[in-house]
């Protein structure tokens, strides 16, 4: 596997100050009826049966791995009750496929690959992320690389919370997300941690009682939406190809209706734990998932 990437797309959960700018700009556009215009650049989308394989790099305990794996399983579990569910949230991505006259996508839960001995050390480059991603299936797959809290990755925290891209021959797509709990929770685990910049409001209680992993779920969700609608850099996005706004990153900082900079929006609250969430998953899980841009209405769509 050659260590190059054809279309590395950075997650637009930048520093919180950037989040404020994007959210404010998006709202001003809406107020002026100058809606966001997504363009389909005629490239292929991921279609057919695609497995999501998880590559765990570093130390994750079983309960942490279960938080992410249950989320992945929940995407393809439409019978989850009560609503709203993770599958309901994911259903919005079908609209992109319909508009592109593309065959639909069916996601399945794939394999788990553990690298607990830090085979590349604790400081990773982009090329090493792709090498880790290549440990998963290289056909009909999205390989999700998850790095533990003690692993440093180029650009992590300073400019990004994660990345998505594809192998040089487009045989598989990949996502990378890091655990930001100790490195930059105010940037990549908001709203479960006090933000570094902008309006200061109390952090929300994480639905799975793990600030780092619940933050990772938000970023994994954002990047999965981006990788299926813009897998090779020529799908759906707005703005420059090098720093595009995609299905979730166009709605940065919005989780519920009424969201504004520093406020995630009106959310559901678990009466027992006090945790904030907007989606139900398998095994009684609750998650907080980002708003997705609706290409048919040109607005950000939230579950609650």
């Amino acid at each position: 596997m050659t260590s190059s990437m054809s279309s590395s797309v950075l997650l637009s959960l930048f520093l919180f100050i950037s989040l404020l700018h994007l959210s404010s700009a998006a709202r001003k556009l809406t107020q002026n009826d100058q809606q966001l215009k997504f363009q389909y650049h005629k490239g292929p989308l991921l279609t057919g049966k695609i497995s999501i394989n998880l590559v765990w790099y570093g130390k994750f305990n079983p309960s942490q791995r279960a938080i992410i794996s249950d989320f992945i399983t929940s995407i393809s579990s439409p019978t989850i009750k009560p609503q709203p569910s993770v599958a309901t949230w994911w259903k919005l991505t079908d609209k992109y496929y319909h508009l592109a006259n593309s065959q639909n996508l069916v996601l399945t839960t794939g394999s788990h690959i553990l690298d607990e001995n830090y085979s590349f050390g604790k400081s990773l480059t982009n090329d090493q992320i792709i090498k880790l991603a290549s440990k998963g299936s290289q056909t009909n797959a999205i390989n999700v690389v998850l790095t533990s809290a003690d692993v440093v990755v180029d650009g992590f925290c300073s400019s990004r919370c994660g990345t998505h891209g594809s192998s040089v021959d487009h045989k598989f797509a990949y996502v990378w997300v890091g655990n930001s709990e100790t490195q930059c929770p105010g940037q990549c685990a908001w709203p479960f941690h006090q933000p570094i910049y902008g309006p200061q409001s109390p952090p929300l209680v994480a639905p799975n009682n793990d600030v780092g992993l619940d933050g990772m779920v938000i970023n994994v969700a954002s990047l999965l939406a981006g990788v299926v609608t813009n897998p090779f850099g020529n799908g759906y996005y707005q703005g420059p190809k090098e720093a595009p706004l995609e299905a979730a990153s166009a709605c940065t900082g919005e989780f519920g209706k009424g969201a504004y900079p520093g406020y995630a929006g009106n959310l559901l609250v678990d009466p027992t734990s006090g945790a904030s969430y907007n989606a139900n998953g398998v095994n009684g899980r609750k998650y907080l998932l980002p708003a997705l841009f609706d290409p048919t209405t040109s607005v950000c769509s939230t579950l609650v």
Side-chain angles (χ1 to χ4, degrees):
M1 171 78 192
T2 56
S3 56
S4 62
M5 74 180 105
S6 62
S7 176
S8 178
V9 184
L10 302 184
L11 175 63
S12 294
L13 292 177
F14 311 115
L15 301 180
F16 196 72
I17 191 168
S18 299
L19 180 153
L20 301 181
H21 173 75
L22 286 173
S23 298
S24 176
R27 265 203 334 286
K28 289 177 181 176
L29 283 171
T30 302
Q31 291 168 355
N32 295 329
D33 292 326
Q34 298 174 0
Q35 295 172 319
L36 288 168
K37 297 298 182 184
F38 258 50
Q39 183 178 354
Y40 177 44
H41 296 79
K42 306 302 181 183
L45 306 181
L46 297 182
T47 60
K49 190 175 181 179
I50 301 289
S51 64
I52 299 180
N53 305 299
L54 301 178
V55 181
W56 302 92
Y57 188 83
K59 303 297 184 184
F60 292 91
N61 63 45
S63 63
Q64 290 179 318
R65 292 199 294 270
I67 292 170
I68 300 288
S69 60
D70 282 352
F71 167 67
I72 299 300
T73 301
S74 300
I75 289 175
S76 56
S77 300
T79 59
I80 292 172
K81 294 181 180 181
Q83 291 291 323
S85 71
V86 174
T88 301
W89 170 81
W90 184 257
K91 187 73 176 173
L92 191 122
T93 60
D94 288 349
K95 294 186 177 183
Y96 289 83
Y97 284 75
H98 177 72
L99 291 175
N101 293 316
S102 174
Q103 177 188 351
N104 277 347
L105 169 70
V106 178
L107 292 179
T108 62
T109 302
S111 61
H112 290 252
I113 300 159
L114 304 184
D115 188 338
E116 297 180 293
N117 295 320
Y118 306 91
S119 61
F120 291 110
K122 293 187 177 182
S123 181
L124 302 179
T125 64
N126 289 326
D127 285 347
Q128 288 170 326
I129 291 294
I130 301 171
K131 288 178 180 177
L132 285 171
S134 70
K135 291 187 175 185
S137 173
Q138 298 193 20
T139 56
N140 300 321
I142 301 172
N143 296 330
V144 180
V145 178
L146 303 158
T147 51
S148 59
D150 56 348
V151 175
V152 176
V153 179
D154 282 353
F156 187 38
C157 296
S158 64
S159 63
R160 60 184 182 173
C161 303
T163 296
H164 81 72
S166 64
S167 63
V168 67
D169 52 9
H170 291 183
K171 285 188 175 181
F172 71 90
Y174 70 87
V175 165
W176 158 71
V177 169
N179 185 342
S180 66
E181 183 172 17
T182 57
Q183 297 185 51
C184 57
Q187 294 159 227
C188 295
W190 184 84
F192 302 128
H193 190 279
Q194 201 81 9
I196 295 177
Y197 304 103
Q200 299 293 302
S201 56
L204 303 181
V205 177
N208 294 286
N209 198 34
D210 191 314
V211 169
L213 269 292
D214 279 299
M216 290 182 83
V217 168
I218 293 173
N219 297 328
V220 168
S222 298
L223 287 162
L224 282 176
V227 81
V228 301
T229 56
N230 186 30
F232 309 118
N234 54 5
Y236 282 97
Y237 64 87
Q238 181 203 38
K241 183 176 182 179
E242 296 74 23
L245 289 179
E246 298 179 326
S249 59
C251 305
T252 299
E254 297 186 47
F255 298 91
K257 289 181 173 60
Y260 56 81
Y263 175 62
N266 300 320
L267 303 172
L268 302 173
V269 178
D270 184 277
T272 302
S273 67
S276 295
Y277 69 101
N278 59 9
N280 293 282
V282 299
N283 297 324
R285 293 281 186 191
K286 293 177 171 60
Y287 295 104
L288 184 62
L289 303 179
L292 294 180
F293 183 81
D294 187 329
T296 63
T297 61
S298 296
V299 297
C300 292
S301 176
T302 60
L303 280 171
V304 295

